[in-house]
């Protein structure tokens, strides 16, 4: 099976807020679907966390390296793409775009062999996984209004992030966490994301240490991005002194970038994003490296239904990955597939057992947000 084409289409019209100081608008494109086409007419799909224009520019560089390649060898082909682009866009848009290509090729391999990707990665440790409802923070009264229906709907794990946290006052921070814990109840998992990769983040180590102590009093499971994403030494110190687990890594790309973070003990939980980091091939190796160093991998998943499906396959294939991020209230998560995501009575999501990523795009739904003809239509 040979690769004949690679296409891209950005999602626009319902882009959710990201909590960024320079906030996203619904028509901003930060999620782009990538389709790898083959000579037998098979198509694999992946998701990329960056704009359509940046993906198209990256594909100018990558397409000649892909056409004619064996479509059933994702890890070798992705490595070829990485190593042939040392000089062009490495770690940035090119790596982001390889993420979608690599995941699409794993999807193709699964479809060709009739197996779910998780089994092809070595075997399924679990058939279902707990999704955590991920939402932006807000003033306590507004946050409670959004948390309560989720708790009533059976969600048992929550992450609240960004918004005013760490940006206004320590008092407000604690009021937000107190209100959230009261709403979700003592048994729910509650995680907190400072979102220090926000361009306007201004807090440092001392704030993070003090905030971590406050979060511990409310039984918070992990404290995510409590420090700017390049502050490696501060992360090492914070992990040593924080009473709650320290999580991060969502903006890092390439498995090599994670080595100093894992080997220096900077994180309890490492959070690569499969739509940025280089895809499944890259994320799988980060996961095993983390495991060997006593670090858990819980994927960052603020992206699309295709990204979530990819995370589910990864969660099935890594022994410690017992949670996945589920962005609540995003049509790009809820509306793109022929089947709806649904929680079982324990608040868990089943990991699809069908071939590849185990999902099918609902083309009518996708066409509301993206140019389906460009992505999947016949070659022009
Ligand atoms: Mg985050």
């Amino acid at each position: 099976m040979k690769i004949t084409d690679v296409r891209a289409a950005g999602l626009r019209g319902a882009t959710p807020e990201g909590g960024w100081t320079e906030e996203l608008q619904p028509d901003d494109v930060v999620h782009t679907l990538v389709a790898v086409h083959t000579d037998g007419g098979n198509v694999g799909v992946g998701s990329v966390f960056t704009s359509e224009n940046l993906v198209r520019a990256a594909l100018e560089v990558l397409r000649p390296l892909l056409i004619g390649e064996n479509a059933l060898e994702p890890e070798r082909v992705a490595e070829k793409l990485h190593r042939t682009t040392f000089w062009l866009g490495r770690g940035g848009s090119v790596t982001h775009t390889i993420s979608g290509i690599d995941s699409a090729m794993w999807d193709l391999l699964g479809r060709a062999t009739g197996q779910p990707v998780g089994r092809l990665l070595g075997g399924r440790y679990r058939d279902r996984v707990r999704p955590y409802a991920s939402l932006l923070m807000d003033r306590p009264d507004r946050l409670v209004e959004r948390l309560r229906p989720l708790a009533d709907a059976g969600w048992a794990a929550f992450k609240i992030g960004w918004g005013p946290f760490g940006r206004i006052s320590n008092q407000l921070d604690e009021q937000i966490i107190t209100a959230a814990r009261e709403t979700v109840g003592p048994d729910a998992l509650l995680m907190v994301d400072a979102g220090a990769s926000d361009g306007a983040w201004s807090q440092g180590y001392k704030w993070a240490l003090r905030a971590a102590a406050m979060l511990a009093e409310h039984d918070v499971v992990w404290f995510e991005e409590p420090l700017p994403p390049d502050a490696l030494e501060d992360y090492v110190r914070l992990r040593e002194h924080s009473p709650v687990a320290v999580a991060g890594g969502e903006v890092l790309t390439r498995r090599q970038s994670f080595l100093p973070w894992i080997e220096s003990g900077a994180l309890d939980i490492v959070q690569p994003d499969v739509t940025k980091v280089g895809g499944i091939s890259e994320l799988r190796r980060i996961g095993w490296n983390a495991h060997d160093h006593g670090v858990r991998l819980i994927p960052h998943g603020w992206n699309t239904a295709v990204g979530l499906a990819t995370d589910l396959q990864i969660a099935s294939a890594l022994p410690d990955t017992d949670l996945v991020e589920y962005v609540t209230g995003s049509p790009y998560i809820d509306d793109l597939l022929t089947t709806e995501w649904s929680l079982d009575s324990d608040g868990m999501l089943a990991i699809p057992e069908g071939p590849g990523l185990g999902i099918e795009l609902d083309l009518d739904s996708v066409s509301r947000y993206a140019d389906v003809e460009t992505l999947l239509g016949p070659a022009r």
Side-chain angles (χ1 to χ4, degrees), residues 132 134 159 161-162 193-197 222 224-225 248 250 271 300 302 325:
Y132 66 81
S134 193
K159 186 174 84 190
W162 299 63
D193 181 359
S197 55
W222 77 63
E224 176 171 328
E225 281 204 314
E250 68 189 64
Q271 301 173 297
H300 178 260
W302 192 280
E325 180 167 19

Side-chain angles (χ1 to χ4, degrees), residues 231-240 257-268 289 293 295:
L232 174 59
E233 294 82 4
D234 282 349
Y235 268 96
V236 173
R237 283 194 292 159
L238 186 65
R239 186 195 184 193
E240 195 175 334
S257 300
F258 285 81
L259 291 176
W261 292 79
I262 292 169
E263 291 174 358
S264 68
L267 299 168
D268 295 285
N289 184 253
H293 286 81
V295 175

Side-chain angles (χ1 to χ4, degrees), residues 155-372:
W155 290 85
F158 304 83
K159 186 174 84 190
I160 53 175
W162 299 63
F165 193 82
R167 291 150 174 92
I168 295 176
S169 73
N170 293 340
Q171 290 72 23
L172 179 62
D173 291 350
E174 180 147 27
Q175 288 164 7
I176 291 169
I177 305 307
T178 302
R181 173 53 81 192
E182 278 176 15
T183 307
V184 302
D187 297 331
L189 302 180
L190 178 64
M191 286 72 83
V192 170
D193 181 359
S197 55
D198 186 1
W201 184 255
S202 63
Q203 302 283 8
Y205 174 79
K206 298 294 188 194
W207 173 87
L209 189 61
R210 178 176 167 160
M214 181 272 286
L215 296 180
E217 291 184 10
H218 298 277
D219 204 16
V220 165
V221 177
W222 77 63
F223 191 12
E224 176 171 328
E225 281 204 314
L227 293 161
D230 296 313
L232 174 59
E233 294 82 4
D234 282 349
Y235 268 96
V236 173
R237 283 194 292 159
L238 186 65
R239 186 195 184 193
E240 195 175 334
H241 297 292
S242 166
V244 295
V246 174
E250 68 189 64
V251 303
L252 297 178
T253 63
R254 306 168 54 243
R255 66 185 184 276
Q256 296 88 347
S257 300
F258 285 81
L259 291 176
W261 292 79
I262 292 169
E263 291 174 358
S264 68
L267 299 168
D268 295 285
I269 295 162
V270 66
Q271 301 173 297
D273 185 318
V274 75
T275 71
K276 282 198 283 234
V277 74
I280 294 169
S281 300
E282 214 69 354
L283 197 144
R284 178 180 73 86
R285 283 178 280 182
I286 294 164
W288 281 106
N289 184 253
H291 175 81
D292 291 343
H293 286 81
V295 175
R296 277 168 79 202
L297 183 150
I298 307 291
H300 178 260
W302 192 280
N303 44 64
T304 67
V306 176
L308 174 59
T310 312
D311 286 344
L312 290 175
Q313 294 300 325
I314 284 164
S316 76
L318 290 173
D320 309 322
T321 304
D322 56 359
L323 288 162
V324 294
E325 180 167 19
Y326 190 113
V327 182
T328 51
S330 170
Y332 299 166
I333 299 285
D334 294 330
D335 292 352
L336 298 188
L337 307 181
T338 55
T339 51
E340 282 186 23
W341 304 112
S342 67
L343 302 180
D344 68 18
S345 57
D346 298 320
M348 308 278 274
L349 270 183
I351 298 172
E353 293 182 52
L357 297 177
I359 53 167
E360 298 296 336
L361 293 176
D362 179 334
L363 300 188
D364 286 340
S365 299
V366 177
S367 67
R368 287 203 285 273
Y369 312 111
D371 182 346
V372 170

Side-chain angles (χ1 to χ4, degrees), residues 82 85 88-96 251-254 257 276:
H82 290 302
T85 53
L88 287 176
R90 180 190 193 223
S93 300
V94 165
T95 303
H96 293 163
V251 303
L252 297 178
T253 63
R254 306 168 54 243
S257 300
K276 282 198 283 234

